[in-house]
Amino acid sequence: MIHYGCTLSEEDAISSRGAADDCGQPSAVRGVVPMTATTLGNGNGDSAALARLGDLLTRCGYGAFVGHFDPLAPDPQRWRSRAAGAPPALRPLLDLFLLNRDVPAEVLPAGLHGLLPDLAALGLLKNAPDGTLSLGGLVLLAVLGTWLFCDPPQADADFYLGDDSMALLTRMTPVAGGDALDLCAGPGLHALHAARFSRRVVAVERDVAAARLARINVDLNRLGDRVRVLEGDLYTPISGQRFDSVTANPPWLPYPSALRPPAIGEGGPDGLKLVRPILSGLGQVLEEGGIAQMVGMTWSDGRRPLARDEFSALSATAGLDMRVAALSHIALDDGVFAGRWLHALCAASGETVACCHAAMMELIADAKATHLCAYFLDARLGRGQLETVDLSGGPRSSAWHV
Protein backbone atom coordinates (compact mmCIF):
# COMPACT_ATOMS: atom_id res chain seq x y z
CA MET A 1 0.00 0.00 0.00
CA ILE A 2 1.15 3.56 -0.75
CA HIS A 3 1.97 5.67 2.31
CA TYR A 4 0.95 9.32 2.19
CA GLY A 5 2.48 12.22 4.07
CA CYS A 6 0.14 14.02 6.45
CA THR A 7 1.47 17.56 6.01
CA LEU A 8 -1.13 19.91 4.51
CA SER A 9 -0.75 23.46 3.37
CA GLU A 10 -2.75 26.08 5.23
CA GLU A 11 -5.28 26.40 2.42
CA ASP A 12 -5.76 22.61 2.34
CA ALA A 13 -6.23 22.21 6.08
CA ILE A 14 -9.72 21.75 7.42
CA SER A 15 -10.94 24.30 9.96
CA SER A 16 -12.42 23.60 13.38
CA ARG A 17 -15.89 24.12 11.87
CA GLY A 18 -15.27 21.35 9.30
CA ALA A 19 -15.10 23.66 6.25
CA ALA A 20 -12.66 22.86 3.46
CA ASP A 21 -12.08 23.47 -0.21
CA ASP A 22 -13.40 20.59 -2.36
CA CYS A 23 -9.84 19.56 -3.12
CA GLY A 24 -8.58 20.04 0.44
CA GLN A 25 -8.01 17.10 2.80
CA PRO A 26 -9.95 16.73 6.08
CA SER A 27 -8.90 14.53 8.96
CA ALA A 28 -11.74 12.02 8.90
CA VAL A 29 -14.51 10.56 6.75
CA ARG A 30 -17.85 9.18 7.89
CA GLY A 31 -20.52 6.86 6.59
CA VAL A 32 -18.74 4.79 3.92
CA VAL A 33 -20.89 1.76 3.20
CA PRO A 34 -19.23 -1.69 3.39
CA MET A 35 -19.02 -3.27 -0.07
CA THR A 36 -19.10 -6.98 0.70
CA ALA A 37 -22.61 -7.62 -0.66
CA THR A 38 -23.09 -4.75 -3.10
CA THR A 39 -23.61 -5.50 -6.80
CA LEU A 40 -22.27 -3.03 -9.34
CA GLY A 41 -24.87 -0.45 -10.26
CA ASN A 42 -27.60 -2.26 -8.34
CA GLY A 43 -27.39 -0.46 -5.00
CA ASN A 44 -29.34 2.45 -3.56
CA GLY A 45 -26.78 5.19 -4.08
CA ASP A 46 -27.75 8.63 -5.34
CA SER A 47 -26.94 8.78 -9.06
CA ALA A 48 -26.62 12.57 -8.73
CA ALA A 49 -23.45 11.91 -6.75
CA LEU A 50 -21.89 10.67 -9.99
CA ALA A 51 -22.41 14.01 -11.71
CA ARG A 52 -20.90 15.80 -8.72
CA LEU A 53 -17.93 13.42 -8.85
CA GLY A 54 -17.08 14.52 -12.38
CA ASP A 55 -17.28 18.18 -11.37
CA LEU A 56 -14.99 17.65 -8.38
CA LEU A 57 -12.39 15.69 -10.34
CA THR A 58 -12.33 18.44 -12.96
CA ARG A 59 -11.73 21.12 -10.33
CA CYS A 60 -8.99 19.07 -8.67
CA GLY A 61 -7.12 18.62 -11.96
CA TYR A 62 -7.69 14.88 -12.31
CA GLY A 63 -9.43 15.20 -15.68
CA ALA A 64 -6.69 17.36 -17.11
CA PHE A 65 -3.95 15.00 -15.87
CA VAL A 66 -5.45 11.84 -17.40
CA GLY A 67 -6.21 13.82 -20.55
CA HIS A 68 -2.49 14.40 -21.12
CA PHE A 69 -2.00 10.78 -22.18
CA ASP A 70 -2.45 9.51 -25.74
CA PRO A 71 -6.17 8.67 -25.99
CA LEU A 72 -5.55 6.23 -28.85
CA ALA A 73 -3.30 4.00 -26.75
CA PRO A 74 -4.35 3.67 -23.09
CA ASP A 75 -1.21 2.51 -21.24
CA PRO A 76 -1.26 1.73 -17.48
CA GLN A 77 2.53 1.56 -17.41
CA ARG A 78 2.75 5.18 -18.55
CA TRP A 79 0.07 6.19 -16.06
CA ARG A 80 2.12 4.71 -13.21
CA SER A 81 5.41 6.20 -14.34
CA ARG A 82 4.02 9.73 -14.64
CA ALA A 83 1.82 9.74 -11.54
CA ALA A 84 4.87 10.18 -9.30
CA GLY A 85 5.40 13.62 -10.83
CA ALA A 86 1.84 14.79 -10.17
CA PRO A 87 1.10 17.45 -7.52
CA PRO A 88 0.97 15.83 -4.05
CA ALA A 89 -2.70 16.70 -3.51
CA LEU A 90 -3.61 14.93 -6.76
CA ARG A 91 -1.78 11.66 -6.10
CA PRO A 92 -4.42 10.05 -3.84
CA LEU A 93 -7.02 10.59 -6.58
CA LEU A 94 -4.71 9.09 -9.20
CA ASP A 95 -4.02 6.11 -6.96
CA LEU A 96 -7.71 5.49 -6.33
CA PHE A 97 -9.28 6.22 -9.72
CA LEU A 98 -6.45 5.48 -12.18
CA LEU A 99 -3.85 3.13 -10.70
CA ASN A 100 -6.00 0.59 -8.80
CA ARG A 101 -4.27 1.21 -5.49
CA ASP A 102 -5.83 1.08 -2.03
CA VAL A 103 -6.08 4.57 -0.56
CA PRO A 104 -6.77 5.64 3.05
CA ALA A 105 -10.04 7.55 3.11
CA GLU A 106 -8.62 10.37 5.23
CA VAL A 107 -6.19 11.54 2.53
CA LEU A 108 -8.87 12.09 -0.11
CA PRO A 109 -10.08 15.63 -0.92
CA ALA A 110 -12.71 17.09 1.39
CA GLY A 111 -15.30 17.47 -1.33
CA LEU A 112 -15.17 13.76 -2.14
CA HIS A 113 -16.08 12.59 1.35
CA GLY A 114 -19.76 13.41 1.03
CA LEU A 115 -19.93 11.34 -2.14
CA LEU A 116 -18.25 8.21 -0.80
CA PRO A 117 -21.36 6.56 0.70
CA ASP A 118 -23.24 6.89 -2.61
CA LEU A 119 -20.30 5.67 -4.68
CA ALA A 120 -20.06 2.67 -2.37
CA ALA A 121 -23.79 1.96 -2.54
CA LEU A 122 -23.62 2.10 -6.34
CA GLY A 123 -21.00 -0.64 -6.23
CA LEU A 124 -18.06 1.47 -7.37
CA LEU A 125 -16.05 1.74 -4.15
CA LYS A 126 -14.88 -1.08 -1.92
CA ASN A 127 -14.18 -0.30 1.72
CA ALA A 128 -11.61 -2.59 3.38
CA PRO A 129 -11.63 -3.29 7.15
CA ASP A 130 -8.45 -1.23 7.53
CA GLY A 131 -10.26 1.88 6.24
CA THR A 132 -8.74 1.92 2.78
CA LEU A 133 -10.80 2.36 -0.37
CA SER A 134 -10.41 0.87 -3.85
CA LEU A 135 -12.26 0.69 -7.17
CA GLY A 136 -11.93 -3.09 -7.32
CA GLY A 137 -10.10 -3.13 -10.64
CA LEU A 138 -11.89 -0.33 -12.48
CA VAL A 139 -10.30 2.90 -13.68
CA LEU A 140 -11.87 6.29 -14.38
CA LEU A 141 -10.73 7.94 -17.61
CA ALA A 142 -11.52 11.19 -19.38
CA VAL A 143 -11.76 10.10 -23.03
CA LEU A 144 -12.01 13.07 -25.39
CA GLY A 145 -14.14 14.92 -22.87
CA THR A 146 -16.23 11.94 -21.73
CA TRP A 147 -15.90 10.44 -18.25
CA LEU A 148 -15.72 6.64 -18.37
CA PHE A 149 -15.46 3.95 -15.71
CA CYS A 150 -14.02 0.85 -17.40
CA ASP A 151 -11.39 -1.85 -17.02
CA PRO A 152 -7.79 -0.88 -17.69
CA PRO A 153 -6.46 -2.39 -20.94
CA GLN A 154 -6.20 -6.14 -20.34
CA ALA A 155 -6.88 -9.37 -22.17
CA ASP A 156 -9.79 -10.54 -19.98
CA ALA A 157 -11.63 -7.23 -19.55
CA ASP A 158 -15.30 -7.40 -18.58
CA PHE A 159 -15.79 -3.64 -19.12
CA TYR A 160 -13.73 -3.24 -22.25
CA LEU A 161 -11.84 -0.25 -23.57
CA GLY A 162 -9.16 -0.89 -26.20
CA ASP A 163 -7.54 0.63 -29.25
CA ASP A 164 -10.41 -0.68 -31.37
CA SER A 165 -12.81 1.28 -29.14
CA MET A 166 -10.82 4.39 -29.98
CA ALA A 167 -10.74 3.42 -33.66
CA LEU A 168 -14.54 3.55 -33.80
CA LEU A 169 -14.78 6.63 -31.57
CA THR A 170 -12.51 8.72 -33.81
CA ARG A 171 -14.45 7.75 -36.97
CA MET A 172 -18.10 7.70 -35.92
CA THR A 173 -20.19 10.55 -37.30
CA PRO A 174 -23.71 10.41 -35.82
CA VAL A 175 -26.42 12.22 -37.75
CA ALA A 176 -26.87 15.57 -35.99
CA GLY A 177 -30.22 15.83 -34.23
CA GLY A 178 -31.17 12.24 -35.06
CA ASP A 179 -31.73 9.04 -33.11
CA ALA A 180 -28.69 6.82 -32.49
CA LEU A 181 -28.28 3.13 -31.65
CA ASP A 182 -25.09 1.65 -30.17
CA LEU A 183 -24.81 -2.14 -30.22
CA CYS A 184 -22.39 -4.17 -28.08
CA ALA A 185 -22.21 -1.03 -25.97
CA GLY A 186 -19.89 -2.27 -23.20
CA PRO A 187 -19.29 0.54 -20.67
CA GLY A 188 -20.99 2.98 -23.02
CA LEU A 189 -18.23 5.08 -24.60
CA HIS A 190 -19.73 5.26 -28.10
CA ALA A 191 -23.27 5.87 -26.87
CA LEU A 192 -22.02 8.74 -24.70
CA HIS A 193 -20.14 10.24 -27.62
CA ALA A 194 -23.20 9.91 -29.86
CA ALA A 195 -25.21 11.87 -27.30
CA ARG A 196 -23.15 14.97 -28.11
CA PHE A 197 -24.83 15.06 -31.53
CA SER A 198 -28.00 13.01 -31.31
CA ARG A 199 -31.46 13.81 -29.97
CA ARG A 200 -31.84 10.33 -28.46
CA VAL A 201 -29.44 7.41 -27.94
CA VAL A 202 -30.21 3.77 -27.17
CA ALA A 203 -27.32 1.56 -26.04
CA VAL A 204 -27.78 -2.23 -26.15
CA GLU A 205 -25.52 -4.56 -24.16
CA ARG A 206 -26.00 -8.27 -23.51
CA ASP A 207 -23.89 -8.49 -20.35
CA VAL A 208 -25.88 -7.38 -17.28
CA ALA A 209 -22.90 -6.01 -15.34
CA ALA A 210 -21.59 -4.08 -18.35
CA ALA A 211 -25.05 -2.57 -18.89
CA ARG A 212 -25.13 -1.45 -15.26
CA LEU A 213 -21.74 0.19 -15.60
CA ALA A 214 -22.90 1.91 -18.79
CA ARG A 215 -25.82 3.40 -16.83
CA ILE A 216 -23.37 4.63 -14.20
CA ASN A 217 -21.33 6.31 -16.93
CA VAL A 218 -24.48 7.90 -18.34
CA ASP A 219 -25.23 9.50 -14.96
CA LEU A 220 -21.58 10.45 -14.50
CA ASN A 221 -21.82 12.51 -17.69
CA ARG A 222 -25.29 13.94 -16.89
CA LEU A 223 -26.83 12.33 -19.97
CA GLY A 224 -29.71 10.43 -18.42
CA ASP A 225 -32.22 12.52 -20.35
CA ARG A 226 -30.80 11.44 -23.71
CA VAL A 227 -29.19 8.00 -23.29
CA ARG A 228 -31.07 4.82 -22.41
CA VAL A 229 -29.23 1.54 -21.77
CA LEU A 230 -31.06 -1.71 -22.54
CA GLU A 231 -30.02 -5.29 -21.82
CA GLY A 232 -30.37 -7.87 -24.56
CA ASP A 233 -29.01 -9.34 -27.78
CA LEU A 234 -28.46 -6.89 -30.63
CA TYR A 235 -31.81 -5.77 -32.09
CA THR A 236 -34.10 -7.74 -29.76
CA PRO A 237 -34.70 -4.91 -27.21
CA ILE A 238 -35.48 -2.29 -29.89
CA SER A 239 -37.88 -4.18 -32.14
CA GLY A 240 -39.86 -1.83 -34.39
CA GLN A 241 -37.66 1.22 -33.80
CA ARG A 242 -35.55 2.95 -36.45
CA PHE A 243 -32.43 5.04 -36.07
CA ASP A 244 -30.48 7.60 -38.06
CA SER A 245 -27.11 6.32 -36.75
CA VAL A 246 -26.00 2.82 -35.73
CA THR A 247 -22.58 2.02 -34.27
CA ALA A 248 -21.10 -1.29 -33.16
CA ASN A 249 -17.81 -2.61 -31.86
CA PRO A 250 -18.63 -6.32 -31.61
CA PRO A 251 -16.17 -8.93 -30.33
CA TRP A 252 -13.96 -9.60 -33.35
CA LEU A 253 -11.12 -11.80 -32.09
CA PRO A 254 -11.11 -15.04 -34.14
CA TYR A 255 -11.76 -17.70 -31.54
CA PRO A 256 -11.25 -21.48 -31.82
CA SER A 257 -14.38 -23.54 -31.24
CA ALA A 258 -12.23 -26.07 -29.37
CA LEU A 259 -11.77 -23.63 -26.47
CA ARG A 260 -14.23 -22.84 -23.71
CA PRO A 261 -16.20 -19.75 -24.84
CA PRO A 262 -15.69 -16.57 -22.78
CA ALA A 263 -18.63 -15.07 -20.92
CA ILE A 264 -18.47 -11.70 -22.67
CA GLY A 265 -18.46 -12.99 -26.25
CA GLU A 266 -16.00 -13.73 -29.04
CA GLY A 267 -15.72 -13.37 -32.78
CA GLY A 268 -16.15 -16.98 -33.85
CA PRO A 269 -13.71 -18.72 -36.19
CA ASP A 270 -13.36 -15.75 -38.57
CA GLY A 271 -14.14 -12.71 -36.39
CA LEU A 272 -17.57 -12.28 -38.02
CA LYS A 273 -19.83 -14.15 -35.59
CA LEU A 274 -21.76 -11.01 -34.58
CA VAL A 275 -20.98 -8.96 -37.68
CA ARG A 276 -23.27 -11.16 -39.77
CA PRO A 277 -26.46 -10.66 -37.72
CA ILE A 278 -25.69 -6.96 -37.27
CA LEU A 279 -25.42 -6.40 -41.03
CA SER A 280 -28.37 -8.69 -41.80
CA GLY A 281 -30.65 -6.73 -39.49
CA LEU A 282 -29.59 -3.20 -40.44
CA GLY A 283 -32.29 -2.83 -43.08
CA GLN A 284 -34.93 -3.17 -40.36
CA VAL A 285 -33.52 -0.43 -38.09
CA LEU A 286 -31.84 2.16 -40.32
CA GLU A 287 -33.79 5.23 -41.38
CA GLU A 288 -33.58 6.44 -44.96
CA GLY A 289 -30.43 8.56 -45.14
CA GLY A 290 -29.06 6.97 -41.98
CA ILE A 291 -25.61 5.44 -41.54
CA ALA A 292 -24.16 2.43 -39.72
CA GLN A 293 -20.48 2.33 -38.71
CA MET A 294 -18.41 -0.41 -37.11
CA VAL A 295 -14.88 -1.78 -36.75
CA GLY A 296 -13.60 -5.35 -36.78
CA MET A 297 -10.94 -7.83 -37.79
CA THR A 298 -11.09 -10.84 -40.07
CA TRP A 299 -8.76 -13.07 -42.05
CA SER A 300 -6.87 -11.79 -45.09
CA ASP A 301 -4.23 -12.87 -47.56
CA GLY A 302 -2.17 -9.74 -46.93
CA ARG A 303 -3.87 -7.85 -49.74
CA ARG A 304 -7.61 -7.99 -49.10
CA PRO A 305 -10.08 -9.50 -46.58
CA LEU A 306 -10.95 -13.11 -47.35
CA ALA A 307 -14.55 -12.24 -46.41
CA ARG A 308 -14.92 -9.78 -49.29
CA ASP A 309 -17.31 -12.03 -51.20
CA GLU A 310 -19.38 -12.61 -48.06
CA PHE A 311 -19.53 -8.85 -47.40
CA SER A 312 -20.75 -8.44 -50.97
CA ALA A 313 -23.46 -11.06 -50.49
CA LEU A 314 -24.56 -9.53 -47.17
CA SER A 315 -24.84 -6.07 -48.73
CA ALA A 316 -26.96 -7.43 -51.58
CA THR A 317 -29.24 -9.50 -49.32
CA ALA A 318 -29.80 -6.68 -46.81
CA GLY A 319 -30.12 -3.95 -49.45
CA LEU A 320 -27.14 -2.01 -48.14
CA ASP A 321 -24.51 0.05 -49.87
CA MET A 322 -21.40 -0.86 -47.90
CA ARG A 323 -17.86 0.45 -47.86
CA VAL A 324 -15.12 -1.61 -46.21
CA ALA A 325 -11.80 0.14 -45.61
CA ALA A 326 -8.86 -2.21 -44.97
CA LEU A 327 -6.73 -0.37 -42.42
CA SER A 328 -3.92 -2.90 -41.93
CA HIS A 329 -2.92 -6.49 -42.61
CA ILE A 330 -1.16 -8.06 -39.62
CA ALA A 331 1.05 -11.04 -40.44
CA LEU A 332 0.12 -14.11 -38.43
CA ASP A 333 3.80 -15.00 -38.11
CA ASP A 334 4.45 -11.70 -36.33
CA GLY A 335 5.79 -12.89 -32.98
CA VAL A 336 4.55 -9.89 -30.98
CA PHE A 337 1.01 -10.09 -32.34
CA ALA A 338 0.87 -13.89 -32.05
CA GLY A 339 1.97 -13.64 -28.42
CA ARG A 340 -0.75 -11.11 -27.60
CA TRP A 341 -3.38 -13.18 -29.38
CA LEU A 342 -2.29 -16.31 -27.49
CA HIS A 343 -2.40 -14.40 -24.20
CA ALA A 344 -5.92 -13.18 -25.00
CA LEU A 345 -7.10 -16.72 -25.79
CA CYS A 346 -5.67 -18.03 -22.52
CA ALA A 347 -7.27 -15.23 -20.52
CA ALA A 348 -10.66 -15.66 -22.21
CA SER A 349 -10.84 -19.45 -22.07
CA GLY A 350 -8.93 -20.25 -18.87
CA GLU A 351 -7.09 -23.00 -20.77
CA THR A 352 -3.35 -23.71 -20.72
CA VAL A 353 -0.89 -22.05 -23.08
CA ALA A 354 -0.24 -25.37 -24.83
CA CYS A 355 -3.95 -26.00 -25.36
CA CYS A 356 -4.59 -22.48 -26.66
CA HIS A 357 -1.56 -22.56 -28.96
CA ALA A 358 -2.67 -25.85 -30.53
CA ALA A 359 -6.20 -24.51 -31.04
CA MET A 360 -4.86 -21.26 -32.52
CA MET A 361 -2.64 -23.05 -35.01
CA GLU A 362 -5.50 -25.33 -36.07
CA LEU A 363 -7.75 -22.29 -36.55
CA ILE A 364 -5.17 -20.56 -38.77
CA ALA A 365 -4.68 -23.70 -40.84
CA ASP A 366 -8.42 -24.09 -41.39
CA ALA A 367 -8.76 -20.43 -42.43
CA LYS A 368 -5.98 -20.70 -45.02
CA ALA A 369 -5.02 -17.14 -44.09
CA THR A 370 -1.66 -15.44 -43.69
CA HIS A 371 -2.85 -12.20 -42.08
CA LEU A 372 -5.58 -10.55 -40.01
CA CYS A 373 -7.16 -7.45 -41.54
CA ALA A 374 -8.35 -4.57 -39.35
CA TYR A 375 -11.22 -2.81 -41.11
CA PHE A 376 -13.74 0.00 -40.78
CA LEU A 377 -17.17 -0.58 -42.31
CA ASP A 378 -19.95 1.89 -43.03
CA ALA A 379 -23.32 1.08 -44.56
CA ARG A 380 -26.46 2.85 -45.76
CA LEU A 381 -29.74 1.69 -47.23
CA GLY A 382 -29.18 1.38 -50.97
CA ARG A 383 -28.92 -0.99 -53.91
CA GLY A 384 -26.77 -3.71 -52.37
CA GLN A 385 -23.38 -2.53 -53.62
CA LEU A 386 -20.00 -3.10 -51.97
CA GLU A 387 -17.01 -0.79 -52.26
CA THR A 388 -13.60 -1.66 -50.82
CA VAL A 389 -10.83 0.80 -49.94
CA ASP A 390 -7.23 -0.19 -49.20
CA LEU A 391 -5.46 2.05 -46.67
CA SER A 392 -3.08 -0.62 -45.43
CA GLY A 393 0.20 0.46 -47.01
CA GLY A 394 2.92 2.63 -45.52
CA PRO A 395 3.94 3.48 -41.96
CA ARG A 396 1.32 3.54 -39.21
CA SER A 397 1.01 4.10 -35.48
CA SER A 398 -1.29 1.13 -34.87
CA ALA A 399 -3.40 -1.50 -36.62
CA TRP A 400 -6.31 0.94 -36.64
CA HIS A 401 -4.79 4.25 -37.78
CA VAL A 402 -2.63 5.18 -40.74
Side-chain angles (χ1 to χ4, degrees):
M1 189 178 77
I2 304 297
H3 296 279
Y4 297 92
C6 295
T7 302
L8 301 178
S9 67
E10 182 177 351
E11 65 181 2
D12 283 336
I14 190 167
S15 75
S16 60
R17 294 189 300 274
D21 180 86
D22 279 349
C23 299
Q25 299 173 343
S27 57
V29 61
R30 301 179 181 85
V32 179
V33 179
M35 289 300 300
T36 53
T38 304
T39 302
L40 178 64
N42 204 30
N44 58 357
D46 180 7
S47 60
L50 292 166
R52 297 196 297 273
L53 173 64
D55 294 341
L56 182 141
L57 292 178
T58 297
R59 290 195 298 272
C60 292
Y62 178 91
F65 185 88
V66 298
H68 292 320
F69 296 91
D70 182 356
L72 302 182
D75 187 343
Q77 185 174 351
R78 289 184 180 177
W79 301 342
R80 289 189 293 270
S81 68
R82 298 299 190 273
L90 184 57
R91 290 176 199 166
L93 292 173
L94 295 174
D95 285 341
L96 178 62
F97 289 109
L98 187 66
L99 302 179
N100 271 309
R101 292 170 176 164
D102 295 341
V103 175
E106 63 269 15
V107 305
L108 292 170
L112 185 58
H113 287 188
L115 307 181
L116 295 179
D118 289 304
L119 297 180
L122 287 166
L124 289 170
L125 282 180
K126 294 185 177 180
N127 187 22
D130 64 358
T132 59
L133 302 172
S134 73
L135 278 185
L138 295 176
V139 297
L140 177 57
L141 302 179
V143 184
L144 302 184
T146 296
W147 289 109
L148 191 78
F149 279 111
C150 60
D151 278 333
Q154 58 192 46
D156 57 344
D158 293 322
F159 312 115
Y160 180 77
L161 175 73
D163 53 359
D164 51 324
S165 310
M166 301 307 301
L168 179 58
L169 181 69
T170 55
R171 291 172 171 87
M172 58 185 285
T173 52
V175 175
D179 295 335
L181 171 66
D182 182 38
L183 300 173
C184 308
L189 176 63
H190 304 109
L192 295 169
H193 185 72
R196 296 184 181 184
F197 310 92
S198 305
R199 173 183 59 188
R200 176 180 71 103
V201 181
V202 176
V204 176
E205 170 55 47
R206 186 187 71 173
D207 183 75
V208 173
R212 288 173 178 165
L213 186 60
R215 294 188 188 102
I216 285 174
N217 285 323
V218 168
D219 289 334
L220 179 62
N221 289 277
R222 285 193 171 97
L223 288 171
D225 60 333
R226 269 182 285 168
V227 182
R228 186 182 180 195
V229 180
L230 302 178
E231 296 168 18
D233 286 327
L234 300 180
Y235 302 117
T236 303
I238 50 92
S239 177
Q241 300 182 52
R242 287 189 175 268
F243 299 86
D244 303 286
S245 307
V246 178
T247 52
N249 182 19
W252 47 257
L253 183 71
Y255 197 87
S257 58
L259 298 180
R260 183 186 305 118
I264 59 171
E266 36 82 16
D270 56 5
L272 301 176
K273 180 178 179 179
L274 290 182
V275 174
R276 293 183 181 92
I278 289 173
L279 293 178
S280 297
L282 273 178
Q284 305 305 311
V285 300
L286 263 184
E287 289 278 14
E288 288 289 340
I291 185 170
Q293 298 173 305
M294 61 192 300
V295 293
M297 277 195 181
T298 190
W299 303 117
S300 88
D301 59 6
R303 295 178 293 110
R304 69 172 195 167
L306 298 186
R308 187 189 185 285
D309 291 343
E310 184 170 3
F311 282 141
S312 180
L314 283 167
S315 65
T317 301
L320 301 171
D321 287 342
M322 285 175 22
R323 181 186 298 109
V324 178
L327 307 174
S328 65
H329 296 278
I330 307 168
L332 295 175
D333 60 3
D334 181 314
V336 174
F337 172 76
R340 291 174 178 170
W341 185 16
L342 181 60
H343 177 66
L345 293 179
C346 292
S349 67
E351 303 285 0
T352 65
V353 172
C355 178
C356 290
H357 184 266
M360 184 174 76
M361 297 308 295
E362 181 179 0
L363 183 66
I364 293 172
D366 289 344
K368 298 180 174 59
T370 58
H371 293 70
L372 267 178
C373 174
Y375 64 86
F376 174 73
L377 184 153
D378 61 76
R380 300 175 185 271
L381 298 180
R383 295 178 294 175
Q385 298 181 338
L386 174 70
E387 178 184 1
T388 57
V389 181
D390 184 13
L391 301 176
S392 63
R396 60 186 57 255
S397 57
S398 74
W400 302 99
H401 291 91
V402 178

